[in-house]
Amino acid sequence: MMPMKMISALKIVLLTVLCLSGISWVSGQYCYSAESVPTIETEHLFDLDADFLYPCDVTVNPDGRIYVVDGISNSVMIFDKNGKYRTSFGSKGSENGRFLNPLGITSDVSGQIYVADAGNHRVQIFDADGRFLRQVRLTAGDKERIPDPADVAVDETRDLLYVTDNDNHKIRVYSKKTLQLMDQWGKRGENPGEFQFPFLAATDKEGNLYVVDVLNTRVQVLNSDGRAMAFVGKWGVDRGQMYRPKGVAIDAKDRIYVSDSYLGVIQVFNRNKKFQGVVGDISGFMAKFKSPTGIYVDGNMRLYVVEMLAHKVSVYKIIQ
């Protein structure tokens, strides 16, 4: 019998390389063409200046520095606001400041960086220069697997951290100040408030949580009490539908961006959760991406897109 540690390590590698890649056991075809779908126009500004292995997620801190987590290299790369590489932190290991297949990343208003260190079952917190500060250790409850956190989102209004527990199909809620576990939401299922492999997540200005619910092919919106308020998208390959959603981001107009690694598009929904269009170029044509995963929209309406299998991260100006 294969040792449990080896099974867990293999699972993380598969999650990082295959699940994020858009590889599917079911063949599909996008049902609408560039001529028939409305677009949210963007202008390509630049690609980040680095040789990525398999980048997973991206965030931007208040001073404009860009942070990209590369799960296979077990590191976080830092870039200036113009996309020039500055430095990196992290390496493979379990000590403070090291990683084992990290996945999600986010920042807060003070510039602190939070990394979902999946293989080490923790969330690590760093200052803006990548110096280790603190960590949240995730432990298993009764009849639970040891959590491999996929992402972490910050609720600034209530000083909370939301951690997506991919293994146990739930959201773990921690105090941002004390790092103590405050609550747990969800279980495996298809009903409102239930998940099947929650993945990347984001919060809006009101502190509502948007969680990519991968196998349920939707984004769930939860309020601060953990109550499911709405769904964004549903299964399918047509406009407003999803096949392998991965990343989610919210812009200043409360529009919701969702990346789909299989369909190769980023769809946009309005504040009422209705399909508005797909990200396109300045000519109005639908933009196609290679396995888009983590996405982020900053306060200057810049869209950051991680293309895992293309080994790149690109930055766009949202025009509309």
Side-chain angles (χ1 to χ4, degrees):
M1 182 177 294
M2 188 178 294
M4 287 304 297
K5 287 186 177 180
M6 185 176 297
I7 292 174
S8 179
L10 287 172
K11 175 184 158 304
I12 289 293
V13 172
L14 287 171
L15 176 64
T16 308
V17 178
L18 294 180
C19 181
L20 295 183
S21 70
I23 294 173
S24 172
W25 300 110
V26 181
S27 63
Q29 183 176 359
Y30 217 21
C31 290
Y32 55 83
S33 66
E35 290 77 20
S36 65
V37 61
T39 58
I40 306 301
E41 293 182 14
T42 64
E43 178 185 2
H44 178 259
L45 298 178
F46 52 83
D47 296 336
L48 298 191
D49 180 23
D51 293 324
F52 296 107
L53 292 179
Y54 288 96
C56 308
D57 199 12
V58 60
T59 194
V60 180
N61 80 349
D63 68 12
R65 276 184 281 184
I66 307 164
Y67 300 77
V68 177
V69 58
D70 194 314
I72 298 300
S73 68
N74 295 291
S75 65
V76 174
M77 300 183 188
I78 306 177
F79 304 82
D80 67 20
K81 62 183 179 180
N82 298 313
K84 299 299 182 183
Y85 174 81
R86 293 308 181 196
T87 188
S88 66
F89 61 92
S91 60
K92 187 175 181 179
S94 58
E95 298 86 356
N96 291 344
R98 295 191 175 192
F99 304 109
L100 184 59
N101 304 118
L103 291 172
I105 189 170
T106 195
S107 59
D108 66 14
V109 293
S110 71
Q112 291 186 155
I113 304 301
Y114 301 74
V115 181
D117 187 8
N120 284 319
H121 317 292
R122 64 186 178 183
V123 172
Q124 294 199 69
I125 306 170
F126 302 86
D127 69 13
D129 296 317
R131 288 184 287 265
F132 173 84
L133 298 174
R134 301 188 295 166
Q135 64 180 334
V136 181
R137 284 280 184 184
L138 277 66
T139 58
D142 292 340
K143 299 180 181 179
E144 285 188 336
R145 302 181 63 177
I146 299 177
D148 298 329
D151 199 14
V152 55
V154 178
D155 180 353
E156 301 284 5
T157 63
R158 299 170 184 84
D159 277 336
L160 296 174
L161 301 177
Y162 301 118
V163 179
T164 55
D165 180 351
N166 190 269
D167 290 85
N168 298 297
H169 313 282
K170 64 174 57 176
I171 307 300
R172 295 176 181 261
V173 185
Y174 293 86
S175 165
K176 186 169 177 278
K177 292 181 179 178
T178 68
L179 305 184
Q180 296 299 307
L181 181 66
M182 306 294 290
D183 206 349
Q184 300 182 68
W185 304 335
K187 61 180 182 179
R188 186 165 192 174
E190 301 177 359
N191 296 318
E194 298 177 346
F195 304 93
Q196 292 200 80
F197 299 98
F199 194 53
L200 298 182
T203 52
D204 64 16
K205 294 188 293 289
E206 285 73 41
N208 297 314
L209 179 66
Y210 296 70
V211 182
V212 177
D213 191 3
V214 176
L215 288 193
N216 284 329
T217 59
R218 65 194 181 192
V219 172
Q220 281 207 68
V221 186
L222 291 80
N223 68 8
S224 60
D225 297 320
R227 179 174 60 84
M229 301 168 58
F231 294 143
V232 180
K234 61 181 180 179
W235 185 88
V237 292
D238 206 341
R239 61 182 69 194
Q241 299 176 343
M242 302 173 186
Y243 202 89
R244 281 293 180 267
K246 290 301 189 304
V248 60
I250 319 297
D251 74 10
K253 299 179 181 179
D254 295 322
R255 293 182 298 190
I256 306 148
Y257 298 69
V258 184
S259 63
D260 194 305
S261 64
Y262 181 82
L263 300 178
V265 298
I266 297 173
Q267 299 192 72
V268 184
F269 299 80
N270 64 24
R271 64 180 63 193
N272 297 317
K273 321 304 185 287
K274 303 298 183 183
F275 174 78
Q276 186 172 352
V278 297
V279 168
D281 60 23
I282 57 176
S283 300
F285 287 97
M286 178 173 62
K288 293 289 287 185
F289 302 94
K290 188 173 182 180
S291 65
T293 53
I295 54 177
Y296 186 86
V297 179
D298 69 14
N300 296 315
M301 296 296 281
R302 285 185 169 189
L303 171 65
Y304 303 76
V305 180
V306 176
E307 293 181 79
M308 190 179 194
L309 292 188
H311 314 286
K312 73 176 184 178
V313 180
S314 303
V315 183
Y316 301 83
K317 177 67 177 179
I318 301 170
I319 297 173
Q320 292 181 318

